[in-house]
Amino acid sequence: MTATIAAPARVSRKSAAARHATLVTRVLTGLLFTVTGLNGFLNFMPAPDPSTMAPAGVAFTTALYATGYMLQLSSGVQLVAGLLLVAGRFVPLALAILAPVIVNIFLIHVFLEPAGMGMALFVVAAEIGLAWAYRDKFRPMLQAR
């Protein structure tokens, strides 16, 4: 009889404060994207007045509307990912599908529409923080094979 000794499993121990911060960040980010995703379909929040926006931001938004599908696609992605984050299900998947949306939000505010940069920085920080909290789930995806 030969006994094999398995390598000890890597156990990640987070403090209670870190677990709570991750939970609060996940739920707040999920609620934000759920509400903005729903708004893309139901239009319950007032749209900003174009006269108060930068001309480049207005032109970009107008072009997205003109496609006939891009804003609906973005809203659908935000809604699904937001619900997944709120529910705490498939969180790494939700973070992965939100990443390009968040990059676009950030770059729009950097280059086209400086107003709203605070919210853009919040979603970037939340995405990075949550990706770090779930980094063990991303590790297999990032291994070269």
Side-chain angles (χ1 to χ4, degrees):
M1 178 191 267
T2 308
T4 58
I5 299 174
R10 185 174 179 188
V11 177
S12 175
R13 300 202 189 274
K14 294 181 184 178
S15 69
R19 285 191 310 274
H20 286 87
T22 299
L23 174 67
V24 168
T25 303
R26 178 178 56 77
V27 171
L28 286 177
T29 304
L31 287 172
L32 174 69
F33 281 106
T34 299
V35 169
T36 56
L38 275 174
N39 186 61
F41 295 109
L42 304 176
N43 298 315
F44 53 84
M45 292 189 293
D49 181 8
S51 67
T52 64
M53 296 173 61
V58 173
F60 183 75
T61 304
T62 302
L64 289 177
Y65 274 110
T67 65
Y69 74 91
M70 196 58 170
L71 288 177
Q72 293 84 355
L73 175 63
S74 178
S75 295
V77 166
Q78 291 178 53
L79 176 60
V80 169
L83 289 171
L84 290 173
L85 289 175
V86 169
R89 306 288 297 169
F90 303 104
V91 172
L93 175 63
L95 294 173
I97 64 174
L98 275 177
V101 173
I102 290 172
V103 168
N104 193 47
I105 290 168
F106 178 70
L107 293 177
I108 286 170
H109 289 290
V110 168
F111 293 111
L112 303 177
E113 184 60 50
M117 181 59 84
M119 186 58 72
L121 290 173
F122 168 77
V123 295
V124 167
E127 174 81 6
I128 291 170
L130 288 170
W132 181 258
Y134 288 88
R135 66 189 176 277
D136 290 340
K137 304 295 184 196
F138 290 106
R139 192 168 282 124
M141 181 174 70
L142 299 173
Q143 290 176 346
R145 295 181 192 230

